[in-house]
């Protein structure tokens, strides 16, 4: 690393992005973050050719260049000396807001609202699926039983598990939306609970003529009912409440703010919604659901084909969150979700794309990309396939996938398959159909067909000639000037073997491993968690740089407290002033970075207390960072703590789902 010219890297990046195009520059632990005037003016292929650049993406109004820990700060230091224009944090936020307009801004907002509650809905779907199996007379008949024999208390307990999330869905949505719109989330959840209060007439019961329930008439004319299942009403409630709260806090005296602001917000917002917006929006929302249902049921699977073929394009452009709101409404109002069924085939088609590239490509780098992308796609992460393969090679793989996705969706539409949940993709998605054997069988058959068809189409028509040529060398992408340590060692060994032809082949093969440098020899090391909490796979975190393991393999923790400790003896290689991350080298020479939260660099140190300094020697269990999880959550940030092994290594044996203590039991093995 000593001969890396950080000044030249900085100069090249500024030159490619455009000096006049850069409005402001900053960095986090791994990425250079640029706010630019015109993203389209950037030649991303040229950016990725710059040495040490590991990838790029555009998110939250920022063009982010992935450089890695220990590199990004040095490149930024060089950029800071170029006298580029910089702006304050508030000015940056205003620019980002102005850059996100119209539909894209709306879609981002919807995504921010629904992503936090999808796990709850998905889990409820699993409960419903298991209930459908366990309470099914056909299944129970195999054991000589029936549903009528199940004790009533078990039925009650199961119904609590399966119905609570949907019964209080507006409260969940209102809480999440209130947070997105910048209000105090606890006010949002109380407003959401008011919308579905059992004191109000239930909207579903009022809509059922046989129930005998009637709306309460306010002023003799306005029907007052609950807002069960009304997604749009919940979002509007949060928007009105949060907007009013922010305005009141600017003018309310400090002595009255604590009590009077929530009082006025809840009173005014509730009356506006329950007497005006609620009844109207619920009708409008039901009409929108009817329109989607009409599209789904267009004869001969035409509607299904249109949905299946266009959904991947929405994913690429970031507009796919539109469907989430419709899916939520369908689930709340009908109990089923045919939309995700039609959209799901693109994930299986992506698997076919990856298999075709893996089987037919001659380039080892492409084969590795394909197999890695496929493993990610099997659990619902599609970006590696979309951006690493389908948009990279003349669009033919993309076209094959779109056709397959549309055809698979059309078949499912004709057969009438529909899920009872959402939020699960590819392999886990089968769990959304276990509530009925016929549904599961046909979904399985069509999904396998989609994988096979896309594999065949891609294999025959969409593999570009450039990947059919074998790699000539083992050169790295970054500059193409250095062999990897293993490749260099093997080249050296080959020379030695050629010079000693008298030796046996066995002896030569043995010398291959013995001449490898120490850093290339396989070794394993076990690691514990740096924080108390629940272990989750790295690919589950909400950040592509970490989830796609661009900087290296690792693991993540959903923290239950904010004390971050050293997972091993070692030395602090890099302590970020913002306190959101530290890099260290263990006593055994393993390089790793501990990153607290997603995009927490934007907090500028608020909520973090850095307890170590650069170069400081630490022991296992020493405190590195004290993080305020409440402050992180209040800022709308994900507090997941990532441990990334930046020096290489593959994680295995991860204690996924386990609750662990900081620096307690071992949670994984890392093989280098």
């Amino acid at each position: 690393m000593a001969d890396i010219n950080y000044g030249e890297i900085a100069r090249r990046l500024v030159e490619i992005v455009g000096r006049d195009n850069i409005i402001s520059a900053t960095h986090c632990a791994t990425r250079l973050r640029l706010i630019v005037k015109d993203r389209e003016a950037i030649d991303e292929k040229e950016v990725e050719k710059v040495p040490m650049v590991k990838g790029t993406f555009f998110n939250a109004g920022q063009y982010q260049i992935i450089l890695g820990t220990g590199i990004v700060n040095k490149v930024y230091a060089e950029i800071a000396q170029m006298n580029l224009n910089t702006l304050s944090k508030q000015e940056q936020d205003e620019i980002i807001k102005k850059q996100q307009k119209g539909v894209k801004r709306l879609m981002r907002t919807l995504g921010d609202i629904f992503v936090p509650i999808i796990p709850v809905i998905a889990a409820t779907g699993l409960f419903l699926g298991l209930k459908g199996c366990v309470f099914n007379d056909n299944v129970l008949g195999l054991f000589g039983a029936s549903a009528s024999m199940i004790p009533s208390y078990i039925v009650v307990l199961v119904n609590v598990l399966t119905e609570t999330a949907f019964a209080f869905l507006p409260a969940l949505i209102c809480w999440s939306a209130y947070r997105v719109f910048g209000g105090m989330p606890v006010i949002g959840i109380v407003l959401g609970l008011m919308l579905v209060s059992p004191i109000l007439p239930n909207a579903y019961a009022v809509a059922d003529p046989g129930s005998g329930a009637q709306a309460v008439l306010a002023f003799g004319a306005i029907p007052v009912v609950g807002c069960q299942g009304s997604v749009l009403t919940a979002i509007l409630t949060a928007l009105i409440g949060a907007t009013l709260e922010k305005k009141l806090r600017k003018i309310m005296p400090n002595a009255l703010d604590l009590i009077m602001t929530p009082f006025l917000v809840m009173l005014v917002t509730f009356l506006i919604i329950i007497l005006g917006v609620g009844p109207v929006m619920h009708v409008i929302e039901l009409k929108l659901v009817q329109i989607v249902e009409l599209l789904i049921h267009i004869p001969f699977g035409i509607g299904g084909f249109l949905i299946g073929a266009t959904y991947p394009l929405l994913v690429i452009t970031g507009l796919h969150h539109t469907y989430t709101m419709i899916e939520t409404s369908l689930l709340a109002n009908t109990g089923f979700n045919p939309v995700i069924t039609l959209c799901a085939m693109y994930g299986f088609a992506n698997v076919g794309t990856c298999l075709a590239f893996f089987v037919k490509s001659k380039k080892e780098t492409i084969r590795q990309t394909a197999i890695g992308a496929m493993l990610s796609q099997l659990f619902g992460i599609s970006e590696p396939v979309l951006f690493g393969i389908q948009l990279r090679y003349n669009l033919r793989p993309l076209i094959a996938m779109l056709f397959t996705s549309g055809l698979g969706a059309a078949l499912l539409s004709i057969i009438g398959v529909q899920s009872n949940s959402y939020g699960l993709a590819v392999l886990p998605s089968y769990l959304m159909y276990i509530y009925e054997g016929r549904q599961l069988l046909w979904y399985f058959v069509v999904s396998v067909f989609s994988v096979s068809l896309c594999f065949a189409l891609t294999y025959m028509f969409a593999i570009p000639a450039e990947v059919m040529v074998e790699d000539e060398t083992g050169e790295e992408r970054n500059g193409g000037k250095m062999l990897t340590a293993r490749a260099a060692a093997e080249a050296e060994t080959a020379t030695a073997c050629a010079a000693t032809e008298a030796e046996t082949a066995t002896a030569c093969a043995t010398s291959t491993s013995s001449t490898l440098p120490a850093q290339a020899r396989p070794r394993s090391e076990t690691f514990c968690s740096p924080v108390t909490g629940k272990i989750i796979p790295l690919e589950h975190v909400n950040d592509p740089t970490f989830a796609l393991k661009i900087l290296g393999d690792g693991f993540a923790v959903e923290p239950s407290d904010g004390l971050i400790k050293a997972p091993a003896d070692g030395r602090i290689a890099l302590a970020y002033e913002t306190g959101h991350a530290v890099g260290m080298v263990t006593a055994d020479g393993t390089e790793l970075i501990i990153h607290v939260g997603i995009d927490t660099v934007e907090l500028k140190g608020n909520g973090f207390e850095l307890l170590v300094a650069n170069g400081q020697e630490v022991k296992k269990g020493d405190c590195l960072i004290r993080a305020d999880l409440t402050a992180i959550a209040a800022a709308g940030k994900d507090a997941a703590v990532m441990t990334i092994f930046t020096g290489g290594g593959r994680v295995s044996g991860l204690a996924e789902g386990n609750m662990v203590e900081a620096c307690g039991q071992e949670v994984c093995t890392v093989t280098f």
Side-chain angles (χ1 to χ4, degrees):
M1 293 289 186
D3 59 346
I4 297 176
N5 189 334
Y6 297 105
E8 178 61 19
I9 294 173
R11 186 193 67 77
R12 286 284 297 136
L13 291 176
V14 171
E15 177 184 313
I16 296 169
V17 176
R19 174 181 288 270
D20 295 335
N21 193 27
I22 299 175
I23 297 174
S24 182
T26 185
H27 76 97
C28 62
T30 59
R31 284 158 277 182
L32 180 66
R33 297 169 176 243
L34 305 176
I35 296 180
V36 297
K37 298 176 183 176
D38 183 7
R39 177 194 176 189
E40 302 302 323
I42 303 172
D43 188 337
E44 295 191 2
K45 290 185 178 180
E46 288 300 314
V47 172
E48 294 183 356
K49 290 180 182 178
V50 176
M52 311 314 298
V53 172
K54 299 176 176 65
T56 66
F57 65 96
F58 191 84
N59 184 48
Q62 296 174 321
Y63 184 66
Q64 303 186 24
I65 302 173
I66 305 168
L67 293 166
T69 180
I71 299 173
V72 64
N73 55 306
K74 296 181 176 68
V75 173
Y76 176 78
E78 297 291 339
I79 290 178
Q81 299 178 19
M82 297 183 181
N83 298 319
L84 294 174
N85 293 327
T86 58
L87 299 176
S88 68
K89 180 67 167 59
Q90 289 184 341
E91 290 172 324
Q92 289 182 5
D93 290 341
E94 288 302 315
I95 290 173
I96 291 174
K97 289 179 181 178
K98 290 178 181 178
Q99 288 179 336
Q100 292 184 319
K101 297 180 180 179
V103 176
K104 283 194 174 182
R105 184 173 181 178
L106 173 62
M107 294 308 105
R108 176 175 174 79
T109 301
L110 290 176
D112 291 342
I113 291 171
F114 285 101
V115 165
I117 67 174
I118 282 179
V120 175
I121 303 300
T124 300
L126 295 182
F127 288 136
L128 286 168
L130 293 172
K131 176 185 176 181
C133 286
V134 175
F135 285 18
N136 188 291
D137 281 328
N138 293 327
V139 175
L140 293 173
L142 299 175
F143 305 95
S146 66
S148 61
M149 300 171 60
I150 299 175
S152 59
Y153 72 90
I154 293 181
V155 175
V156 170
L157 294 177
V158 171
N159 285 340
V160 170
L161 284 171
T162 57
E163 296 178 13
T164 300
F166 290 122
F168 295 97
L169 184 62
L172 298 176
I173 295 172
C174 195
W175 159 78
S176 186
Y178 212 90
R179 172 186 55 82
V180 170
F181 295 138
M184 185 182 293
V186 69
I187 298 178
I189 197 168
V190 172
L191 283 170
L193 289 170
M194 289 179 179
L195 298 181
V196 292
S197 170
I199 300 172
L200 295 172
N202 186 286
Y204 298 129
V206 172
D208 182 3
S211 69
Q214 294 182 347
V216 175
L217 293 181
F219 307 106
I222 302 175
V224 175
V225 296
C227 299
Q228 285 79 10
S230 185
V231 175
L232 289 179
T233 302
I235 294 175
L236 281 173
T237 300
L239 177 61
I240 294 170
T243 302
L244 179 59
E245 179 190 343
K246 288 186 286 186
K247 291 184 180 296
L248 286 175
R249 292 199 184 280
K250 291 180 180 179
I251 61 175
M252 189 69 67
N254 292 336
L256 301 176
D257 185 45
L258 182 64
I259 302 299
M260 289 306 298
T261 295
F263 170 79
L264 292 174
V265 168
M266 289 190 288
L267 175 63
V268 174
T269 304
F270 176 72
L271 292 177
I272 291 174
I273 293 297
I274 212 68
L275 296 178
V277 176
V280 175
M281 292 309 302
H282 191 65
V283 172
I284 293 175
E285 189 171 46
L286 291 178
K287 293 296 182 184
L288 290 174
V289 171
Q290 290 173 7
I291 292 172
V292 175
E293 288 180 316
L294 287 174
L295 181 61
I296 293 171
H297 295 102
I298 291 177
F300 311 112
I302 296 173
F305 182 88
L306 292 174
I307 292 174
T310 57
Y311 182 75
L313 300 178
L314 297 181
V315 175
I316 292 171
T317 57
L319 301 179
H320 59 298
H321 294 299
T322 307
Y323 284 177
T324 307
M325 183 175 63
I326 299 172
E327 290 175 52
T328 307
S329 294
L330 282 168
L331 279 168
N333 290 283
T334 70
F336 293 100
N337 177 14
V339 175
I340 195 172
T341 303
L342 303 179
C343 299
M345 289 303 102
Y346 107 93
F348 290 99
N350 279 342
V351 173
T353 298
C354 294
L355 285 173
F357 269 79
F358 177 77
V359 171
K360 196 170 184 179
S361 175
K362 298 294 180 64
K363 283 185 175 291
E364 187 60 30
T365 53
I366 302 303
R367 287 166 55 85
Q368 292 174 1
T369 298
I371 199 66
M374 185 185 72
L375 293 175
S376 297
Q377 181 61 79
L378 286 174
F379 292 94
I381 301 174
S382 57
E383 285 78 4
V385 188
L386 291 172
F387 297 103
I389 296 177
Q390 288 163 347
L391 292 176
R392 183 177 177 183
Y393 297 110
N394 64 35
L395 297 183
R396 288 184 181 178
L398 178 66
I399 294 170
M401 181 271 288
L402 294 178
F403 175 78
T404 302
S405 177
L407 184 58
L411 292 173
L412 291 171
S413 178
I414 293 171
I415 299 169
V417 177
Q418 53 186 357
S419 81
N420 68 348
S421 180
Y422 70 3
L424 301 177
V426 196
L427 284 185
S429 69
Y430 291 112
L431 296 174
M432 297 189 295
Y433 304 89
I434 62 176
Y435 69 92
E436 183 184 340
R438 173 186 172 277
Q439 296 278 328
L440 178 61
L441 175 62
W442 280 115
Y443 183 78
F444 174 78
V445 170
V446 176
S447 64
V448 172
F449 167 77
S450 297
V451 173
S452 303
L453 177 61
C454 196
F455 171 83
L457 292 176
T458 305
Y459 188 92
M460 291 186 293
F461 306 114
I463 304 293
E466 60 191 276
V467 306
M468 298 298 293
V469 180
E470 293 186 10
D471 292 319
E472 295 182 359
T473 68
E475 292 180 345
E476 291 277 7
R477 178 176 65 83
N478 288 335
K481 297 178 180 179
M482 296 186 297
L483 294 172
T484 62
R486 180 176 292 277
E490 289 175 350
E492 180 181 344
T493 302
T495 302
C497 288
T500 57
E501 294 180 357
E503 297 184 8
T504 65
T506 302
C508 187
T510 302
S511 70
T512 300
S513 60
S514 64
T515 56
L516 284 173
Q519 65 268 31
R521 295 173 188 167
R523 67 179 179 88
S524 296
E525 188 174 350
T526 56
F527 279 89
C528 58
S529 170
V531 65
T532 299
K534 179 181 178 181
I535 298 292
I536 59 175
L538 190 61
E539 53 266 27
H540 287 186
V541 302
N542 189 28
D543 185 296
T545 301
F546 298 117
L548 302 182
K549 303 181 181 180
I550 295 174
L551 299 172
D553 205 350
F555 63 90
V557 180
E558 294 177 349
S560 57
D561 68 36
L563 202 56
I564 315 301
K565 300 180 180 180
D569 295 348
R571 175 179 55 83
I572 301 300
L574 197 59
Y576 287 86
E577 294 180 359
T578 52
H580 74 291
V582 295
M584 65 176 292
V585 180
T586 70
D588 292 331
T590 300
E591 299 175 5
L592 60 90
I593 181 172
I594 302 172
H595 195 290
V596 184
I598 304 297
D599 288 332
T600 44
V601 66
E602 297 172 2
L603 301 183
K604 303 295 184 182
N606 293 328
F608 294 97
E609 181 183 357
L610 183 63
L611 304 176
V612 291
N614 288 335
Q616 180 177 332
E617 298 290 334
V618 294
K619 294 292 185 181
K620 179 180 178 180
D622 286 352
C623 296
L624 308 178
I625 299 171
R626 183 176 287 109
D628 185 341
L629 301 184
T630 302
I632 294 173
K637 303 298 183 184
D638 187 330
V641 178
M642 284 75 67
T643 301
I644 313 297
F645 300 99
T646 56
R650 176 170 296 180
V651 171
S652 61
L654 184 65
E656 178 181 349
N658 288 1
M659 292 297 299
V660 297
E661 295 291 329
C663 300
Q665 64 269 44
E666 296 169 350
V667 299
C668 71
T669 299
V670 184
T671 303
F672 300 89

